[in-house]
Amino acid sequence: MAREQGGAVEKENRPGFWRSSLNPWTVRTKNNPERVAFVLHRVTGFIILAFLLAHILETDSPVWSQIVYHVNGWAFWNHIMGIESGLAFRIGEFIVAGAVLFHAPNGIRLLLTEFFGVGVGRPGDPKPPYVPFTFTAAQRQWLYAVFVVWIVLWIIAGVIIFT
Amino acid sequence: MSSGKASSVQIWQYITAILLIGLLGFHLLERVPWIWGVSTMDQTLTAAFVYSDYVHFGWALLLLAYVALFHGLNGVRGMLLELRQGRMYTATINALFWIVFIVFAAIATLTVVKLPAYP
């Protein structure tokens, strides 16, 4: 069943850019953890980049506050940190921490498989039931480990951020 | 504007990723309170603590900013180039990449170079 989206026809078996690479809710997760990781890697990357740009401006505040507001830079830094100790900012920090703590371990898995070429199994003749060799190779176990490590580290980060 | 070979740009994405593991790992450990003998994360964000970080590890923080900016912006650049193709579109995306990179890298450099002394 094809449907119109932004002037382009999107077929169900060939989803467009948004559905296939940036929307985690449209991923069929059954026996598809690599696709889940692919979409999460992109979404968390966006979250981290948005934070990074804001973080660079924030950490420059001791410098630019002197120019813009003519105040003591470090006094202004403490003022900003006071604002950021509020609950809304802590929730934001928790979301960014979750993004980083998924993106980094999954990035290490991608480095190992794509850059160093390990954990992807040996190529061979396809035989029924035609399961790709990469799906039975070590990278699949590493991916499950990434999900476990992510949740454990995110809980620890939550304890640090909210206490 | 030349965008470089896709493969060489991707290799830089992997190289920056390897650097980020160490640099960002260190940066995050700076916020873990019990490593530094304090009780809360907020205590690792006081002016005195942060100033000390800049004095001792300013070069590492600056390298982290450059590497993270390249890695993050290049990742988004790759996604935007997936969206559509075209010589003009590619040149525009590449120009935007370098403009944003240079502006934010300059701000990061200014932070370390012009940081006021802690009273």
Side-chain angles (χ1 to χ4, degrees):
Chain A
M1 184 71 188
R3 61 193 180 90
E4 291 280 337
Q5 195 181 47
V9 176
E10 188 177 290
K11 293 177 178 170
E12 210 166 85
N13 64 335
R14 291 182 64 195
F17 180 81
W18 165 251
R19 285 187 68 225
S20 65
S21 70
L22 282 177
N23 190 339
W25 310 115
T26 59
V27 178
R28 290 190 180 127
T29 57
K30 190 181 176 187
N31 201 29
N32 207 8
E34 287 86 1
R35 170 63 77 178
V36 175
F38 169 79
V39 175
L40 278 177
H41 201 74
R42 291 193 156 198
V43 172
T44 54
F46 267 113
I47 293 168
I48 295 163
L49 181 64
F51 171 79
L52 173 68
L53 299 182
H55 188 57
I56 286 173
L57 294 174
E58 168 205 53
T59 50
D60 189 52
S61 62
V63 177
W64 62 252
S65 62
Q66 296 181 110
I67 301 161
V68 177
Y69 298 123
H70 306 289
V71 294
N72 177 289
W74 289 111
F76 192 80
W77 170 266
N78 285 331
H79 170 68
I80 284 186
M81 288 304 109
I83 293 169
E84 290 187 2
S85 62
L87 181 63
F89 280 94
R90 286 194 190 276
I91 291 168
E93 274 177 359
F94 182 63
I95 291 167
V96 171
V100 170
L101 294 171
F102 174 79
H103 200 87
N106 190 54
I108 293 168
R109 181 187 67 91
L110 291 173
L111 275 168
L112 289 170
T113 55
E114 293 178 0
F115 193 56
F116 295 107
V118 293
V120 289
R122 287 180 171 278
D125 293 330
K127 295 188 181 81
Y130 303 111
V131 178
F133 293 102
T134 50
F135 285 9
T136 54
Q139 71 85 24
R140 177 63 72 91
Q141 280 73 53
W142 296 346
L143 181 50
Y144 290 134
V146 163
F147 285 123
V148 172
V149 166
W150 172 39
I151 298 302
V152 170
L153 290 178
W154 202 5
I155 291 166
I156 294 168
V159 170
I160 292 170
I161 289 166
F162 290 109
T163 55
Chain B
M1 181 180 285
S2 172
S3 58
K5 286 182 184 173
S7 56
S8 66
V9 172
Q10 189 58 30
I11 282 172
W12 277 108
Q13 194 71 349
Y14 290 128
I15 291 167
T16 51
I18 292 167
L19 288 169
L20 276 172
I21 292 164
L23 290 166
L24 190 62
F26 163 73
H27 190 53
L28 292 176
L29 289 175
E30 285 181 305
R31 303 279 82 83
V32 178
W34 50 81
I35 290 176
W36 308 100
V38 292
S39 52
T40 66
M41 190 178 78
D42 287 1
Q43 289 169 295
T44 69
L45 289 164
T46 59
F49 197 100
V50 171
Y51 180 72
S52 172
D53 280 349
Y54 275 106
V55 168
H56 294 105
F57 310 113
W59 60 271
L61 294 170
L62 200 51
L63 183 62
L64 170 62
Y66 297 155
V67 169
L69 272 171
F70 183 93
H71 187 83
L73 291 170
N74 191 46
V76 170
R77 173 183 161 273
M79 282 186 247
L80 289 170
L81 294 179
E82 276 177 26
L83 262 176
R84 51 180 291 193
Q85 286 76 48
R87 194 174 293 177
M88 190 66 198
Y89 177 76
T90 302
T92 306
I93 295 299
N94 287 336
L96 279 172
F97 165 85
W98 283 113
I99 289 165
V100 176
F101 177 83
I102 289 166
V103 166
F104 278 89
I107 293 168
T109 308
L110 204 68
T111 307
V112 173
V113 173
K114 290 274 188 183
L115 195 75
Y118 183 69

